[in-house]
Amino acid sequence: YLLCAGRDEKGDKEMNPVFLGNRLSDVTAVLALCQLKRLSENLRKRKRTAAIYSKSLDSSKIVRGKRAAWFRFLIDSGSLSGVDGLIERAEAAGIALRRPIMPHPLHEYVAGFRKKCPNAENLWKTLVSIPIYPDLKECEIDVVIRFLVGEF
């Protein structure tokens, strides 16, 4: 199974399990092939954006893994209660900040693990993912940086 983002009846994001044995539709397969052809270029663009963020933002706030895929660029808000407010202020400024996993940490979907991952719970409460889309323009990256510098 794979957890895929979807929308519930109210339009809110939710995670839905998808059986990987399902066959892709022709349209989905064509879209996937087109994205695979652009993978190297998109990765290069994301790495460039990540380098700009790394140079411009407080390094103590940047969450780095051992090997970055640059699908997400994570910032630690440092606040167990302030992430929602930060996301709302960013949206008011035209910036899409998100929690890395919505609507809940993934371990909550596995039976028996709901209360056994306190570190995952705390990280989910404090981390935000900032825009790192391949087609971000430099002026858009600057808007994100100015906002975050003002917040932290």
Side-chain angles (χ1 to χ4, degrees), residues 8-147:
D8 64 14
E9 62 277 352
K10 293 186 247 174
D12 295 328
K13 283 187 178 179
E14 65 178 1
M15 299 299 284
N16 299 305
V18 175
F19 180 59
L20 291 177
N22 291 347
R23 300 183 93 179
L24 296 177
S25 70
D26 289 346
V27 172
T28 303
V30 167
L31 289 172
L33 288 172
C34 289
Q35 288 299 322
L36 283 173
K37 288 179 184 175
R38 298 174 48 193
L39 182 62
S40 294
E41 177 65 14
N42 285 346
L43 184 57
R44 185 191 64 74
K45 289 177 180 180
R46 287 175 187 263
K47 283 181 178 180
R48 180 188 66 79
T49 302
I52 294 169
Y53 284 152
S54 293
K55 180 179 171 188
S56 304
L57 297 173
D58 179 353
S59 63
S60 69
K61 298 288 185 188
I62 298 170
V63 178
R64 290 178 171 46
K66 291 182 180 178
R67 182 170 174 241
W70 302 123
F71 174 70
R72 299 269 189 216
F73 194 95
L74 300 176
I75 299 289
D76 187 347
S77 71
S79 170
L80 290 174
S81 61
V83 172
D84 292 329
L86 177 65
I87 290 171
E88 288 173 11
R89 289 189 301 279
E91 285 183 5
I95 301 166
L97 299 186
R98 298 289 181 256
R99 290 184 186 272
I101 303 291
M102 288 295 291
H104 304 286
L106 292 179
H107 72 275
E108 290 187 7
Y109 293 95
V110 180
F113 280 93
R114 189 156 178 85
K115 296 294 179 193
K116 294 183 180 178
C117 301
N119 290 337
E121 291 284 336
N122 287 336
L123 289 171
W124 184 82
K125 291 175 183 175
T126 63
L127 297 182
V128 290
S129 179
I130 65 176
I132 192 164
Y133 316 113
D135 294 329
L136 275 177
K137 298 179 183 104
E138 223 164 295
C139 62
E140 294 168 322
I141 295 168
D142 289 341
V143 168
V144 173
I145 291 169
R146 280 196 307 273
F147 173 80

